[in-house]
Every structure is written in structure tokens, then in C-alpha cells.
Amino acid sequence: LAAAVATAFCGMAQAAPLVVGFSQIGSESGWRSAETKVSKLEAEKRGITLKIADAQQKQENQIKAIRSFIAQGVDAIFIAPVVATGWAPVLTEAKEAKIPVFLLDRTIEVSDPSLYTAAVASDSVHEGKVAGDWLVKEEGGKPCNVVELQGTVGASVALNRKKGFADALAAAPNIKIVRSQSGDFTRSKGKEVMESFIKAEQNGKNICAVYAHNDDMAIGAIQAIKEAGLKPGSQIKVVSIDGVPDIYKAMLNGESNASVELTPNMAGPAFDALIAMKKDGTQPPKFIQTKSTLVLPDAAQKQYDMKKDMGY
Ligand code: AHR
């Protein structure tokens, strides 16, 4: 008792560890699983209790999870929003409960920006632009028909990666997007949609490149290209986004040409911003931007080893 009293009087009482609820989308891609893993590690490093709810790619499950986190009175809520719209009601509930909300890796459309504290994400329009600029340079004025595998319908990253790529192609009339459809960010859907593109485009002979909004769909597409008797990486070039180990393996096999790297560590910067807020009220910037770097086959081995070391 004496010790407790002394501690209280000296103002040295240990603060309870922070509790964060994370509404994760699911495990649709290798990148997503890595993000979940890295988030747990980053929480552990800082002594934060992280509660993760897997939404199985459904917004309604995310909304339920957020309501449950509010009821539990967590210190903050992290959300990787599956789609960009439809968040205002539940975020208003979080705001009324005075729980700060951080968005991870995707952004949302709300008319009141005070409904969330900050977003940690890359500039996904820029990612699409980097992928498009690479293809424009690679083709050097030659005619090229591109097929596009879009991410989840309504996801900010799918909309933005589409826009950024189209922006890059605006300067290159030789390159045309001949087909574009969602593969929902999954390997199996990417393969299925690519198979239909190949059938529709003279058994793939009319396709010069595939642009996939993530590596998993690109890996599915590579499989479809091979099954059609064509060579991915040469007869059909492959460019995508994420930087997962399997795409680097594909690069090493000559089956993928370029990927824009997206860090799976979105939670780390969000935890740091939260800790600073709790310590002295420091308000984080609204958009905490992570880097997007183009990786080509010459750097694939190094990137592969690095990602494996990160625990991918
Ligand atoms: O929001 C990030 C995207 O979501 C990743 O690029 C993709 O792999 C994931 O499913």
C-alpha cells in the first residue's frame, strides 16, 4: 500500500497499455496478409494491445467490428476501408465516443474530414502513374494493347491506380487499354479474368501487356498466360503493384517486368502518431504518406531477400 501511495503521489503511476482495434479487410492478397503480420509486430514493439477483426472483404463486417470496438472503449480504431464510400454514420459514432480513427492503406470519401484523425497510405494515383510511365518508356513508341486487371470495385486504390495509369498513357497514343475489369485483388479472380481477356483478344496475340492493380492478380494472370501457351514477361509484359515475394520470384524467372513497391508497414506510423497524440496532444498530419518505388528485375533478388527477412 505504501508503495502504491508513494507512486500515486509522485505522479509516476504506469499508464495502462494502449488498446487499438483494427478492422482489417481480410486476406485477399499476399500484401494484405503481410500488413496484418507487420501490424502485430509493430504493436508488440510498442507494447500496444492490438485487436484485429477480419472483415472477409465486406464493408458490413467492418462496420460491425467498428461498433464493437466503440462499445469496448478502445483508445483508437484503425480501419483499412474496403471501399471508399459509406463510412460517415459509423465514423460519426466513433467521433461522438471521442475515439480517434486512423485509416490504413486506403482512403475514404466523406464530406466532413474531422470524422477521421489521419490516413497512412501511399499516393495510389502516383503508383498507377509510375506503372504507366514504365510501360510508356518500355514500349518506346511501339503500338501496344494493354489489358487492365482492376482491384476491388469502389476501393480508393482501384480508382486511383486506374486514374494514374491512364494519366501516364495520355502522353502515349501508341498504347491503348483494350480491356479492363475487376479481379478483386485476388490471384484466382486475376487468373479467371485474364483467361477471358486472352480468349477475347485472339488467344492473347492481340495483347502486348497486362497492368494489374496488385501483384496477386498479376501472378494469376501469369498463370493464365502460360496456360494459353504464351510467355509472360516477353510475349505479354507484366506490370503490377505491391512488391510481394512471389512477384520477385516471377521477375527472377523472366515472367514479370516491373512492380511498384508498397510497404506493408502502415500501422507503425499510425501507432507513432497515436502515441504522440496521447502524450501531449500533438495532432498528426491528415495524410501520412508512404513511399512508392518501382522495382525492376535487376533488384528482384535483393527485394525478395529483404521481404523474406521482414517475415512475409
Ligand atoms: O490497399 C492496398 C491493396 O490492397 C494492395 O495493393 C492489395 O494487394 C490489397 O489487397
Side-chain angles (χ1 to χ4, degrees), residues 179-298:
R179 305 215 168 241
S180 182
Q181 201 180 310
S182 172
D184 209 13
F185 281 129
T186 67
R187 220 172 260 217
S188 58
K189 205 71 205 300
K191 179 169 186 269
E192 191 185 307
V193 176
M194 189 66 193
E195 281 165 355
S196 73
F197 286 165
I198 290 173
K199 274 199 196 104
E201 295 295 337
Q202 298 173 27
N203 280 326
K205 290 187 188 68
N206 198 34
I207 303 173
C208 141
V210 53
Y211 164 49
H213 290 189
N214 81 344
D215 286 347
D216 276 72
M217 292 190 293
I219 291 158
I222 288 171
Q223 198 53 40
I225 296 168
K226 291 205 283 194
E227 285 173 18
L230 295 166
K231 286 198 171 67
S234 47
Q235 282 171 304
I236 298 184
K237 303 221 171 104
V238 180
V239 55
S240 53
I241 296 166
D242 272 356
V244 300
D246 281 354
I247 206 72
Y248 297 134
K249 253 199 244 163
M251 280 187 197
L252 294 168
N253 293 335
E255 294 177 343
S256 158
N257 306 85
S259 177
V260 184
E261 206 244 342
L262 174 72
T263 177
N265 185 11
M266 302 282 165
F271 287 137
D272 289 341
L274 173 67
I275 291 166
M277 263 177 80
K278 294 283 177 192
K279 193 174 157 216
D280 56 16
T282 306
Q283 219 30 53
K286 202 78 192 169
F287 188 64
I288 303 172
Q289 193 180 329
T290 61
K291 278 195 274 174
S292 325
T293 321
L294 182 70
V295 179
L296 301 176
D298 58 350

Side-chain angles (χ1 to χ4, degrees), residues 28 40 43 55 79 91 130 137 143 147 168 174-175 180 193 209 213 227 243 245 254 274 290 295 300 307:
E28 74 280 4
K40 287 180 190 161
I79 310 169
L91 293 190
V130 170
K137 196 165 163 222
V147 293
N174 56 311
I175 304 182
S180 182
V193 176
H213 290 189
E227 285 173 18
L274 173 67
T290 61
V295 179
K307 289 283 160 80

Side-chain angles (χ1 to χ4, degrees), residues 3 12 17 56 62 74 77 96-97 101 103 170 186 199 229 235-236 300:
M12 285 168 62
Q56 313 268 324
Q62 292 204 281
V74 295
I77 296 174
E96 281 166 3
V101 168
L103 307 177
T186 67
K199 274 199 196 104
Q235 282 171 304
I236 298 184

Side-chain angles (χ1 to χ4, degrees), residues 1 24 32 42 46 61 72 92 107 127 134 173 194 196 206 218 226 240 243 254 257 263 272 287 304:
L1 178 70
Q24 177 58 298
R32 181 69 52 201
E42 294 293 317
R46 294 165 178 83
N61 291 343
Q72 292 169 51
T92 304
T107 52
E127 287 171 334
W134 170 82
M194 189 66 193
S196 73
N206 198 34
K226 291 205 283 194
S240 53
N257 306 85
T263 177
D272 289 341
F287 188 64
Y304 178 84

